[in-house]
Amino acid sequence: MSANPPRRSGAGKESLWVVVPAYNEGAGITATLRALSAQCLPPAGVVVVDNASTDDTAEVVRAYAAAHPELNLELLHESQKGTGAAADTGMRHAIARGATHLARTDADCLPPPHWTAAIMRAFDEGLELVAGRLRPRTDEFPLNWKERWLLPVLQPLAAAFGRIRPGNQGPDYLGPYVMSPACTLGITAELYERCGGFPRAPIEEVHDDRELVNRVRKVTTAYGRRRDVWVYWSMRRARAYGLRGTLAWYARPGRRDKEMAKEVDVRLPRPRPRRPPAGPPRRPRRVDEADLVGRVLAQAERTPGAVALVHGPGDRQMTYGELRHRVLAVTHGLRRAGLRPGDRVLLGVRHSAATVIIALSVVAAGGTLVIVDPGAGPQMFAARLRSARPRWVIAESALYSLNRLRVLRGPARRAGLLLPGVTDPALRHVRVGPWLPGVPAGALDFAELMRGPAPETAGERDPHAPAVVVFTSGTTDAPRGVVHSAASLAAGLRLCRDRFPLGPGDVVHDAGFMLGLPALIAGARWSIPAARDPVDGFLAEVARRGVTHAFCVPVHLAQMLEESGDRLPGCLRYLLLGSAPVPPAVLRRAVAAAGGRTEVLSVYALTEMLPVAIADAAEKFAHWDSGSGGDLLGAPLPGVEAKIAADDELLLRGPNTCLGYLGEPPLEWLETGDLARLDDRGRLILIGRKKDMLIRGSANIYPGLYEPAIAALPGVAEAAMVGLADPVTGDEEVVLAVVPDGDVPPAALRSRLRRALPEVIDAAALPDRIEVLPGLPRAGRSHKLDRDALRALVGEGRGTTGPVRGR
């Protein structure tokens, strides 16, 4: 017999079933079944094998099956004691029902949403047995530091011991030993039958996972571990008998004594019903709709065990209860250290779970968070710092070192992290991360603040007081800081939530607060991207974390689709695109990649007002096809007022408008700088930027009016128009820069555009020159089109191509 016979294949014929042995798991198996229902790749069937339970496990499973008919859930009974026997019964039943591939987890484990997809991916790579890893559950009870470190220590020790264990060595084995926890593995049906499957023996006599791996090793070498195949493992046994007992359970062969038999059946206790408090019942906590932090804390109080944040390269989780405690603790620590209402706090921390805690804590303490992009350059940063006049700085320890140690200032400047004044000893400082040379003396330790006492916040904060300052455009002489209140931010977040519903079970993927805070208020899960690069790993995280709502910038989406082969994860229900106009070609690719599963939305928003309007893909396609010109933004959201000034500038106001600009009087109407019109249905149509207007002769040309129509032409991926002023006449040469989509050669594209443009845009706007470029220059975190850089780029080729129109 060949050591590696061909595995079954064939799209549409593959059928993955999941088997779950269960013994007295009535208190916790519902969570496991919910996790299996939430898989991005739904299993063809789930078999729960009740191993002679004495509690209501079977009743709980039947009730779940009745309430969730979409999950093909079957219940079997196995009277022979032992998870091996129960698992074997379930595996063979699944094979008889048509399963070609099998996966197993246990009734006290939580598979993440990507689990089944990761197992099938490993099968596609040629494995017949897929071994996984374990991560600790944090939702059953708070873990102490020993329990948090148990699995990272236990797994490599157990794997190392397994490799040298005499019972795992011998001439009959075709390959090395690989540790494979039974609660997270996959195996082909063919291999399961060929190797003999799980041993039908009690766990006190034999470890069923080790025996299965050794049986597999005798017939094939197509087995291995995968880092992305993992489950959250119950820590109740570790809580019951400690680190030493847990290590002994996995390290000592043949433990048959009664104590070990007891250990197997450590149960998760059911929560005891709370006795009603003496006296009148406690009234539900009332939270002002405009109290942003209060609403997050109230949600955390209602669902303390649910996961609030997923963050970091290892997909670490933070529950709502943990988030609430840390926010209250940091709030208390900042107030005790002297933070007063109105104090401005400069934030110098990369977006992470710490950023979320800091932002909520500063606002809860009455402070005003100041957000400054360090990439603007040292001069601009210094100017913005002078304008903001913060009293506090909360920054990463490495940032202090880069700006205070002379030897590191050169690298800091090159990395855009030289921030003059950030280490000023006159300011109060909080360091995030371990102490490093350069951290100012007396700086508070953020980790210690989180570990401190966490009393309820005393007193109420005015939701209409300044809460956040965000610096945007401006010069070093007049930097512009947009001032928001908690009320204006809450109003904007409410508009977001109303357009795309959020609730428990949803997972939001966003590096900013636009989707993250509505998720926390709604009891959903906020997935924070782990990578600094906004493209690298984005879609993989979306799939692995089971994301349902994601936000990204159009240019980043284009790169992601290119790398993924125009595929979007199946778990994604809403994809929001913003921060820059969406090119028609990118939107078409996104809709095609979604395959009808995902609603693709374009969000029009400004730093001063978030959001303003939202348009779905079908609306935008219909507008482009109508030939009406401009870019459809959508109808203003409820409560948002819009009017068009005499010069076509869009003016806005509403409950989500900022208070104004730092040091300036409050706004009555927000002057957007965008040129727009309202169609007969009251929808906003963007026709350009006020500062981007071109002048040629007596004609005023608005590039934004024509660029979407040009970008919608065959062969064009993106289009932009800029003007090059004649130094003598002041008249402007109009240059059209296009990026091909790859279907048409550059030379042919110019010819096609010269023929097509007169039918698409006004004669007065026909370009003098067409430049075909590999890409358009972009700037800033949102990668918006950099027209100044484009103007300089096409200026180098002035006169190199023929005109489209006569002059």
Side-chain angles (χ1 to χ4, degrees):
M1 180 181 295
S2 170
N4 292 291
R7 52 183 287 269
R8 298 182 186 182
S9 61
K13 296 180 181 179
E14 295 183 344
S15 176
L16 175 70
W17 283 60
V18 178
V19 174
V20 186
Y23 173 72
N24 285 348
E25 296 287 356
I29 195 172
T30 298
T32 302
L33 297 176
R34 286 195 190 119
L36 292 173
S37 296
Q39 293 297 301
C40 295
L41 179 63
V46 175
V47 182
V48 175
V49 185
D50 180 20
N51 197 196
S53 297
T54 58
D55 69 350
D56 60 348
T57 297
E59 287 76 10
V60 172
V61 174
R62 289 193 192 96
Y64 190 90
H68 299 83
E70 71 283 356
L71 183 67
N72 182 20
L73 177 59
E74 300 185 16
L75 176 66
L76 303 180
H77 297 275
E78 173 55 61
S79 59
Q80 182 177 339
K81 182 173 176 55
T83 54
D88 184 62
T89 296
M91 293 286 195
R92 297 187 185 279
H93 175 81
I95 293 172
R97 297 277 281 114
T100 59
H101 297 78
L102 305 162
R104 173 182 159 182
T105 190
D106 286 349
D108 58 356
C109 293
L110 300 182
H114 75 279
W115 184 65
T116 53
I119 289 175
M120 290 302 293
R121 188 162 52 245
F123 285 139
D124 290 339
E125 293 169 358
L127 295 187
E128 294 183 273
L129 173 77
V130 185
R133 299 184 302 150
L134 306 175
R135 293 186 180 183
R137 283 182 65 167
T138 60
D139 60 325
E140 294 178 316
F141 43 78
L143 302 182
N144 58 45
W145 70 270
K146 291 182 180 179
E147 292 164 341
R148 289 184 180 274
W149 281 100
L150 175 64
L151 287 182
V153 171
L154 173 64
Q155 291 180 88
L157 286 177
F161 178 78
R163 287 192 292 271
I164 65 173
R165 189 174 190 165
N168 295 338
Q169 300 179 29
D172 294 339
Y173 296 128
L174 302 178
Y177 178 80
V178 172
M179 188 180 76
S180 178
C183 56
T184 175
L185 64 79
I187 187 170
T188 66
E190 183 180 50
L191 178 60
Y192 190 84
E193 292 181 308
R194 184 155 47 98
C195 75
F198 282 110
R200 299 182 66 85
I203 196 170
E204 304 93 78
E205 298 177 5
V206 61
H207 286 180
D208 53 324
D209 48 7
R210 183 167 65 89
E211 180 63 24
L212 176 67
V213 170
N214 284 338
R215 291 180 178 184
V216 165
R217 293 169 62 205
K218 292 180 179 180
V219 297
T220 184
T221 59
Y223 59 88
R225 296 189 74 193
R226 287 294 182 266
R227 295 183 60 85
D228 57 349
V229 178
W230 48 266
V231 297
Y232 294 105
W233 185 68
S234 176
M235 300 297 292
R236 66 195 194 199
R237 292 183 180 85
R239 173 63 59 91
Y241 47 87
L243 175 61
R244 182 177 300 177
T246 306
L247 288 171
W249 169 249
Y250 285 95
R252 298 183 191 179
R255 292 287 304 275
R256 298 185 178 87
D257 54 83
K258 296 181 179 180
E259 287 303 313
M260 288 307 291
K262 292 178 182 177
E263 291 169 3
V264 177
D265 301 334
V266 175
R267 303 183 193 179
L268 181 68
R270 291 183 183 275
R272 295 180 179 178
R274 295 182 179 179
R275 295 180 179 179
R282 178 182 174 183
R283 293 183 179 180
R285 188 188 303 272
R286 296 190 62 182
V287 179
D288 191 323
E289 181 76 9
D291 183 1
L292 198 59
V293 179
R295 292 172 67 193
V296 173
L297 295 178
Q299 177 62 51
E301 189 175 21
R302 289 192 294 270
T303 58
V307 175
L309 303 177
V310 184
H311 60 101
D315 295 345
R316 297 175 58 190
Q317 295 189 348
M318 184 183 301
T319 65
Y320 273 95
E322 291 171 322
L323 176 64
R324 186 173 189 274
H325 176 90
R326 293 174 187 183
V327 169
L328 292 176
V330 174
T331 300
H332 177 71
L334 291 175
R335 284 177 170 170
R336 188 173 54 183
L339 190 145
R340 298 290 177 262
D343 283 358
R344 292 177 188 155
V345 181
L346 181 70
L347 181 64
V349 181
R350 288 167 295 182
H351 195 67
S352 61
T355 314
V356 177
I357 295 168
I358 292 167
L360 294 173
S361 301
V362 168
V363 175
T368 302
L369 200 67
V370 178
I371 301 174
V372 179
D373 182 5
Q379 291 76 22
M380 180 63 81
F381 180 86
R384 290 172 173 177
L385 198 65
R386 289 193 299 270
S387 175
R389 298 192 303 276
R391 291 195 61 224
W392 290 73
V393 175
I394 302 179
E396 295 181 40
S397 300
L399 194 63
Y400 284 122
S401 296
L402 287 169
N403 283 271
R404 202 167 190 189
L405 301 182
R406 187 182 303 274
V407 69
L408 296 179
R409 288 181 183 173
R413 180 182 294 275
R414 289 190 292 273
L417 296 175
L418 187 62
L419 311 179
V422 76
T423 62
D424 187 345
L427 302 174
R428 294 298 311 275
H429 295 274
V430 180
R431 65 172 171 87
V432 178
W435 182 90
L436 293 174
V439 171
L444 300 176
D445 181 359
F446 178 67
E448 287 189 6
L449 292 179
M450 288 195 297
R451 290 193 294 265
E456 293 288 341
T457 54
E460 293 187 2
R461 172 185 168 86
D462 180 5
H464 301 283
V468 178
V469 176
V470 184
F471 279 91
T472 57
S473 60
T475 66
T476 54
D477 296 327
R480 302 203 84 181
V482 178
V483 183
H484 271 285
S485 66
S488 65
L489 292 173
L493 300 179
R494 185 169 60 252
L495 291 176
C496 291
R497 196 179 70 243
D498 291 344
R499 179 57 183 85
F500 31 88
L502 283 167
D506 290 327
V507 184
V508 161
H509 196 64
D510 188 11
F513 288 87
M514 186 182 80
L515 285 181
L517 286 180
L520 295 182
I521 291 172
R525 186 178 302 190
W526 183 357
S527 165
I528 301 175
R532 297 186 189 180
D533 188 317
V535 175
D536 183 35
F538 186 94
L539 291 182
E541 277 188 335
V542 167
R544 189 172 68 246
R545 297 176 177 179
V547 170
T548 58
H549 302 62
F551 176 86
C552 68
V553 176
V555 67
H556 294 158
L557 177 63
Q559 297 174 43
M560 287 185 268
L561 291 175
E562 190 70 33
E563 295 175 3
S564 70
D566 287 334
R567 288 183 298 178
L568 290 175
C571 54
L572 195 60
R573 296 206 313 273
Y574 292 93
L575 177 62
L576 284 78
L577 303 174
S579 298
V582 187
V586 174
L587 190 59
R588 286 194 187 94
R589 291 182 68 181
V591 171
R597 302 180 306 271
T598 307
E599 185 175 3
V600 182
L601 302 175
S602 177
V603 182
Y604 174 63
L606 303 97
T607 305
E608 295 90 340
M609 193 172 186
L610 178 78
V612 175
I614 298 176
D616 63 36
E619 288 180 292
K620 295 182 79 69
F621 289 143
H623 177 78
W624 286 325
D625 293 342
S626 72
S628 301
D631 188 19
L632 175 71
L633 303 178
L637 292 170
V640 175
E641 297 180 58
K643 70 177 182 179
I644 309 300
D647 62 353
D648 292 332
E649 182 177 8
L650 174 62
L651 307 180
L652 297 167
R653 69 180 178 187
N656 55 332
T657 311
C658 67
L659 299 179
Y661 297 100
L662 198 61
E664 299 182 21
L667 292 175
E668 182 178 356
W669 286 90
L670 172 63
E671 298 174 354
T672 65
D674 288 331
L675 302 173
R677 59 183 172 85
L678 290 166
D679 68 5
D680 55 2
R681 296 165 58 182
R683 300 180 304 175
L684 290 169
I685 312 296
L686 182 69
I687 61 176
R689 287 287 295 167
K690 193 173 181 179
K691 66 178 182 180
D692 295 333
M693 184 183 72
L694 310 181
I695 301 176
R696 185 170 60 190
S698 59
N700 294 339
I701 301 170
Y702 301 117
L705 180 61
Y706 306 110
E707 289 167 346
I710 299 172
L713 291 172
V716 180
E718 294 183 87
M721 300 173 72
V722 293
L724 300 176
D726 186 302
V728 177
T729 66
D731 206 9
E732 289 189 274
E733 176 192 18
V734 177
V735 181
L736 169 63
V738 295
V739 177
D741 63 8
D743 293 336
V744 181
L749 183 58
R750 286 195 186 94
S751 301
R752 287 194 181 191
L753 289 175
R754 290 190 186 102
R755 293 192 299 270
L757 286 178
E759 303 298 325
V760 175
I761 64 177
D762 297 331
L766 288 172
D768 299 295
R769 178 156 52 97
I770 298 175
E771 293 284 354
V772 180
L773 304 175
L776 300 180
R778 301 185 179 277
R781 289 184 176 179
S782 59
H783 284 233
K784 291 183 179 180
L785 174 66
D786 188 338
R787 292 189 185 270
D788 290 337
L790 178 59
R791 198 173 289 112
L793 182 64
V794 300
E796 298 173 358
R798 185 190 288 264
T800 60
T801 58
V804 176
R805 66 185 297 276
R807 294 295 302 273

